[in-house]
Amino acid sequence: MDSCICGSNKDFTRCCQPFLEGKAKARTVRQLVRSRYAAYALGAHAKYLKQTWHPSTVRNIGMADLDNSAYEWLSLQIVRHLQKGDMGQVEFKAVYKEAGGKEQTHHEISVFQRLKGVWYYYDGQQLSQS
C-alpha cells in the first residue's frame, strides 16, 4: 500500500486516485483540495485540474499555466475548511521547492462552488508566500 501524496494517510487507490482517473467526484471541498494538490504534486494531471476549475473562470486558464514540472511538492496542510450548501472554503498551506531552491509555502484560502452536484474550484486568495 502506498500512502496518498495529499497527506491523508489513506492508501492512494482509496484516496485521490479515483478522482484523478475520473472514476469518482469529490463529495467535499476537502476532498477536492486534496485531489487537486495530488494532481499538482504528481504532475501529468492538467486535464483533471481544468475539469475541476469552475466553468466561469476556467477559460482564463491554459494548459501551460498548469505545468508544475519546475516544482517539487512536499506537503499539504489543511488549516480549516467550511462547507455550507453549495459554497465552500478551504484554507491550506502547500510546501514546495523549486529545482535547486529552498522550500517555500503557498498559503491560500480557496473558494469552491457546487454546480449540479459537482464541486469546482472558483477562486483563491493567496495569504502569504514564504
Side-chain angles (χ1 to χ4, degrees), residues 22-42:
K23 294 178 180 174
K25 300 278 186 199
R27 294 183 315 278
T28 67
V29 291
R30 275 182 67 132
Q31 285 179 328
L32 187 57
V33 167
R34 288 189 177 284
S35 64
R36 286 176 57 86
Y37 171 83
Y40 279 112
L42 295 171

Side-chain angles (χ1 to χ4, degrees), residues 36 49 62 76 80 91 93 107-108 116:
R36 286 176 57 86
L49 291 168
L76 172 68
R80 66 177 181 81
E91 179 181 350
K93 295 179 180 180
H107 187 185
E108 179 177 315
K116 298 179 183 177

Side-chain angles (χ1 to χ4, degrees), residues 2 14 18 20 23 25 38 56 90 106 127:
D2 290 325
R14 297 182 180 270
L20 298 177
K23 294 178 180 174
K25 300 278 186 199
S56 69
V90 177
H106 176 83
L127 299 177

